[in-house]
Amino acid sequence: MPLLAIVYFSISGTTEKLAHAVARGADRMVEVALCRILGDDIVSGRFQNERLLETIDRAGAVAFGTPTYMGGPAAQFKAFADASSDRWSQQRWANKIAAGFTTGACAAGDQLHTLSYLTILAAQHGMLWCGLDIPGGEDPSGRNRLGSQLGLATHLVDSDLPQSDVSTAEYLGQRLAKLAGRNG
Ligand SMILES: Cc1cc2nc3c(=O)[nH]c(=O)nc-3n(C[C@H](O)[C@H](O)[C@H](O)COP(=O)(O)O)c2cc1C
């Protein structure tokens, strides 16, 4: 069974909620590894969790998740991305399926920039990007509420994630699992 690694950073739990929803969507179709980047993984400014990187080595698909901080990925996620450069030089993650999700306090809080960054990270690794095949504003159940097809962009409404965002994350997990099965 192919492995889906969900690699994410979260402080107050919103990105974590999305990560768990991606995992639920993929459940039973693939093996799932939830890999939370912790502040303690970063020592003297460098990400040093080799086990997490090795989990990605074994994965057929990877979902990258980070809150949008100051218009881009959180520094802790970026530290992880920088540490992946050892894998980059040998293109060890080439041809794995990749997708991204993010959240923010504002509806247009520059989440697209975070997703663009995640796409570039995947491209640097030779990974195959999986966007969202839900046209914004066209889904009867309101999925892809913010209309981003590059990846999942969400935001907090009354301090909580709308159910439609959680459903979109579940859908993304399902889509990734299907693609991982096809790719494996
Ligand atoms: C340092 C910092 C910078 C932030 N920058 C943005 C931003 O640029 N755009 C936005 O919409 N929200 C921004 N936020 C809000 C967070 O993205 C939001 O609180 C998110 O839910 C945090 O994710 P988490 O619960 O997974 O930690 C920022 C929050 C912090 C703490």
Side-chain angles (χ1 to χ4, degrees), residues 8-18 36 66-72 102-111 114 154-156 161:
Y8 68 98
F9 174 73
S10 181
I11 283 194
S12 45
T14 311
T15 314
E16 176 151 79
K17 203 168 170 183
L18 291 170
R36 184 173 183 167
T66 171
T68 294
Y69 274 7
M70 300 309 290
T102 188
T103 192
C106 308
D110 296 319
Q111 287 93 329
T114 304
T154 68
H155 92 300
L156 296 171
L161 269 182

Side-chain angles (χ1 to χ4, degrees), residues 163-176:
Q163 179 53 41
S164 55
D165 289 355
V166 175
S167 302
T168 315
E170 288 170 350
Y171 177 79
L172 182 62
Q174 188 187 82
R175 178 164 158 82
L176 273 172

Side-chain angles (χ1 to χ4, degrees), residues 3-183:
L3 173 67
L4 167 64
I6 303 170
V7 181
Y8 68 98
F9 174 73
S10 181
I11 283 194
S12 45
T14 311
T15 314
E16 176 151 79
K17 203 168 170 183
L18 291 170
H20 283 266
V22 172
R24 270 198 308 282
D27 194 28
R28 294 201 199 102
M29 298 167 70
V30 288
E31 191 191 333
V32 176
L34 277 159
C35 307
R36 184 173 183 167
I37 296 164
L38 299 173
D40 288 350
D41 290 335
I42 298 155
V43 182
S44 299
R46 289 189 180 270
F47 178 85
Q48 296 194 353
N49 183 341
E50 185 61 23
R51 218 162 77 185
L52 191 153
L53 295 167
E54 284 169 3
T55 302
I56 299 180
D57 293 344
R58 290 186 282 108
V62 185
F64 295 120
T66 171
T68 294
Y69 274 7
M70 300 309 290
Q76 292 86 343
F77 184 91
K78 188 62 170 61
F80 147 75
D82 293 355
S84 73
S85 62
D86 288 348
R87 266 76 176 167
W88 162 81
S89 49
Q90 298 163 346
Q91 291 290 283
R92 281 174 63 182
W93 294 349
N95 299 321
K96 296 178 189 295
I97 306 288
F101 56 96
T102 188
T103 192
C106 308
D110 296 319
Q111 287 93 329
L112 179 61
H113 187 244
T114 304
L115 291 174
S116 301
Y117 170 72
L118 297 177
T119 312
I120 291 168
L121 173 66
Q124 288 213 343
H125 280 292
M127 301 169 96
L128 307 173
W129 190 255
C130 161
L132 265 179
D133 59 340
I134 304 174
E138 299 293 331
D139 185 65
S141 55
R143 294 175 306 176
N144 196 8
R145 187 175 57 91
L146 296 184
S148 169
Q149 289 197 241
L150 192 59
L152 173 56
T154 68
H155 92 300
L156 296 171
V157 178
D158 297 330
S159 309
D160 206 359
L161 269 182
Q163 179 53 41
S164 55
D165 289 355
V166 175
S167 302
T168 315
E170 288 170 350
Y171 177 79
L172 182 62
Q174 188 187 82
R175 178 164 158 82
L176 273 172
K178 281 185 190 158
L179 288 174
R182 203 190 290 176
N183 206 33

